Amino acid sequence: QLSNNGSGITIRNNASNDILVQNYASGKDIVFKTTPDGGTIVTPLTLNASGSITVSSISGSKGNKVLITETTVSSDVTNIDFSSGITDTYTTYVVEFRNLTVDATAHFRFRLGTSGSADDGSNYEGQVLQSGGKLGTSGHAFPSLQYSDEADGRLTQNNYPIGSTTGFASSGELVLHNLRSTSNNKTISGDYAIVPAVHGGTDYFLGSRVSTHIYNSTSAVNFIRLFVANATESDAKISGGTFRLYGIE
């Protein structure tokens, strides 16, 4: 048993060899399970100066989602770049966006790169199927988009871009497979909600039913960019949101 009386934290194990972290004030345990055969997996725990415990990863296991970097936007930016941390350490990467807002109606897009910068060649193709309805009234929408030989990956429909109505935001994630492969093209899948999506001057809410994209390159990817563009393809701005890059072991 390891105690930190200053922060009121106890770390101990139980009869099943689970690791328990208890806060004296609440009396509640956080349980970190070990393997059924006697606890061969060890969870590294770090106690910082403020008494908080950080769990880094579970050694010897697969499927852990490990945060690599995080960016929070509170004023207009042209794009979000993840330019470090994409290495052979992980086989799969996840880009998460929360509460994305834009300064004007715009399309949501991404680019990848193999030399530390975004590739804007005609190397992207994909399909997006969405379903949703009108905000605040009845009416359904089932837009779809298929594209190929484009200069970026397209996450929103041509006729349903993200709107800038105050009080709404878009959230979701992209899963990027085999980014570091030097023999296969890269596959990207998406699960996200676009609110509002603007069509014919009306605000809609749309969820992705199928969002699958291909980056046609057999080189190892080391760069990811998220950005928005308006109908004339010029740069629009991301005005808010939190953006995280994770690695999957």
Side-chain angles (χ1 to χ4, degrees), residues 52-98:
S52 299
I53 290 179
T54 299
V55 182
S56 55
S57 65
I58 302 178
S59 176
S61 67
K62 296 294 183 181
N64 295 309
K65 189 176 178 181
V66 181
L67 179 63
I68 297 173
T69 187
E70 175 179 316
T71 299
T72 298
V73 173
S74 57
S75 59
D76 291 353
V77 298
T78 301
N79 44 254
I80 303 296
D81 290 345
F82 298 106
S83 57
S84 62
I86 306 172
T87 67
D88 294 338
T89 301
Y90 306 106
T91 58
T92 302
Y93 288 83
V94 175
V95 172
E96 179 184 87
F97 58 96
R98 292 287 177 262

Side-chain angles (χ1 to χ4, degrees), residues 3 24 35 39 49 62 71 80 88 93 96 100 120 132 135 146 177 188 194 196 206 223 234-235:
S3 298
Y24 285 147
T35 52
K62 296 294 183 181
T71 299
I80 303 296
D88 294 338
Y93 288 83
E96 179 184 87
L100 165 69
D120 61 358
L135 281 170
Q146 186 169 3
H177 307 274
I188 301 95
I194 301 299
L206 293 177
F223 186 91
S234 63
D235 287 340

Side-chain angles (χ1 to χ4, degrees), residues 124-172:
Y124 302 84
E125 59 182 299
Q127 184 176 41
V128 180
L129 301 179
Q130 292 179 302
S131 62
K134 294 181 180 180
L135 281 170
T137 185
S138 60
H140 303 287
F142 303 95
S144 63
L145 167 69
Q146 186 169 3
Y147 67 94
S148 62
D149 300 323
E150 295 289 353
D152 43 54
R154 307 202 162 191
L155 301 174
T156 51
Q157 312 293 336
N158 289 337
N159 296 322
Y160 288 82
I162 300 176
S164 57
T165 304
T166 301
F168 297 99
S170 301
S171 298

Side-chain angles (χ1 to χ4, degrees), residues 177-192:
H177 307 274
N178 301 316
L179 282 193
R180 301 295 296 166
S181 173
T182 56
S183 57
N184 294 321
N185 293 316
K186 313 307 182 283
T187 302
I188 301 95
S189 57
D191 182 8
Y192 45 88

